[in-house]
Structure formats: structure tokens, C-alpha cells
Amino acid sequence: FATRYSNLAMIQRDQGDLPGARANMERAIAIDQKHFAPDHPARAVSYSNLALIQKDQGDLLGARANMERAIATEQKHFAPDHPTLATSYSNLATIQRAQGDLQGARHSMERAIAIGEKHFGTDHPLLATYSSNLAMIQRAQGDLPGARASIERSIAVNLKHFAPDHPSLGISYTNLATICWHEGDRAAACPNLKKALRIFLK
């Protein structure tokens, strides 16, 4: 029944029913606690899912605690560079960024990228997402050259997998234009913004 409650919770999250999602995920965790040891991998999944729901609710302290609990459990069962940990570090980074812990967020996202590169290669779509997220963290830190390099990397990877007018590229071009503008590189900002507009207005 724990799996059913967990699956239902994630459906409710997608539907925007966050209170219902949280209640069912906590129900799944309560069942897991009766059947699995505290560091069982199944519990890591439940903690991670609960953390995502809590983040959506704005409960960042609870979200971070549960994501860190999930990672601690995963570290007992998986190698330090296991792909599962890449996902968890990426999720932790988004929570840390929302908390304003930019240095922690950058460290977590860079760990996710390092693991992802090892297992999926440098041009996997997942790396595009990670690089885009890293760029936003770097931009918030004021590291505009780093942010620009990361978002350009994200765009290069996405162009290998998506059509040139894919919506995700529109977002990336907008982000790149904003970074270029803040760098004072107006000559690069305008063309990228025009690319984004062409995609969104299509």
C-alpha cells in the first residue's frame, strides 16, 4: 500500500493538490517505517518525493531536511557516483537555491553534473537541464561569465536533441540574453532575445 500512496501523492502533486499529496506521501512513509529499516533504499525514495512536495508548498526547511535524509540513505547503498545521487543532488540544489544558499546549491549542482557526465556523457539531455540550473545559480551569485558558459553549454546539448524551435530552447535563449545584457554585451543579448521571441510567437 505504501507504493500506491506514494504514486497517488505524485499524481496529486502534478495536479496541484499539494496538501493531498503531502498527506499521502506521509502515509506511505508511515507504512514504510513499519516494514523497512531506517536506511532502506525504499525510504530514500519516499523522503525525496516528500521533499519535492514540501518545496512546492514553500516548506523549504522540511524539504531540505528530507532531501538530505534521502541522500544520506542513498550513500549507504550506492557508490558515490551513482546516477541516483545525481538526481538527488540536483533536487537538493534547487531547494538550496530557493533558500538563498547559493554556495551550497552550486556545490550540489556541480556534483550532479560530475556524476551525470560520468554515466551519461557530456551531451545527454539531463546534462542540459543540470547546466541550465547551474547557470541560474551562477547568475544569482554574480558569476556572469560562468553563467554564460553554463547556459551556452545547455543550449548546445539541447540543439542535439530538440528541434531549433523547441520551447525549452526559447527559455534558454531568454536566459542567455539576460546574462549577456547584465554583462554589458548588448550585441549578443539582442539576437538571443530575438531567437526566443521567434520560438514563443510561433
Side-chain angles (χ1 to χ4, degrees):
F1 283 102
T3 301
R4 293 177 185 176
Y5 281 126
S6 179
N7 291 340
L8 175 59
M10 300 315 286
I11 292 171
Q12 290 171 306
R13 180 194 176 213
D14 290 339
Q15 292 178 324
D17 178 12
L18 298 179
R22 182 167 182 166
N24 278 312
M25 190 58 68
E26 289 174 341
R27 193 170 292 146
I29 289 173
I31 294 172
D32 283 342
Q33 288 174 339
K34 294 179 180 179
H35 297 280
F36 299 121
D39 61 352
H40 192 280
R43 295 184 66 174
V45 174
S46 296
Y47 287 133
S48 179
N49 288 341
L50 177 57
L52 296 177
I53 295 167
Q54 290 172 307
K55 176 182 177 290
D56 291 345
Q57 286 185 310
D59 178 9
L60 299 178
L61 286 175
R64 181 167 181 167
N66 278 309
M67 192 60 70
E68 288 175 342
R69 188 175 298 156
I71 289 172
T73 301
E74 289 165 353
Q75 287 173 333
K76 294 181 180 180
H77 295 276
F78 303 125
D81 60 354
H82 192 279
T84 297
L85 281 161
T87 301
S88 295
Y89 284 129
S90 176
N91 289 334
L92 176 59
T94 63
I95 296 168
Q96 291 169 312
R97 180 189 170 202
Q99 284 185 309
D101 178 10
L102 298 178
Q103 190 59 39
R106 181 169 182 164
H107 179 65
S108 295
M109 193 59 71
E110 287 174 343
R111 292 180 78 177
I113 289 172
I115 295 171
E117 287 177 339
K118 182 171 184 178
H119 288 275
F120 305 120
T122 56
D123 61 352
H124 191 279
L126 192 62
L127 270 298
T129 300
Y130 289 169
S131 293
S132 179
N133 290 340
L134 176 59
M136 295 302 96
I137 295 167
Q138 291 168 312
R139 178 188 163 195
Q141 286 184 310
D143 178 10
L144 297 178
R148 183 169 179 168
S150 293
I151 201 68
E152 287 176 341
R153 177 186 182 192
S154 176
I155 290 170
V157 173
N158 276 331
L159 284 171
K160 295 180 180 180
H161 299 278
F162 300 123
D165 60 351
H166 192 277
S168 65
L169 281 162
I171 295 171
S172 294
Y173 285 130
T174 301
N175 289 336
L176 177 56
T178 302
I179 293 166
C180 291
W181 184 268
H182 285 294
E183 280 189 309
D185 186 358
R186 309 292 194 261
C190 290
N192 281 297
L193 189 55
K194 287 179 180 178
K195 287 181 184 178
L197 287 172
R198 280 197 295 269
I199 292 172
F200 293 136
L201 294 175
K202 184 175 180 181

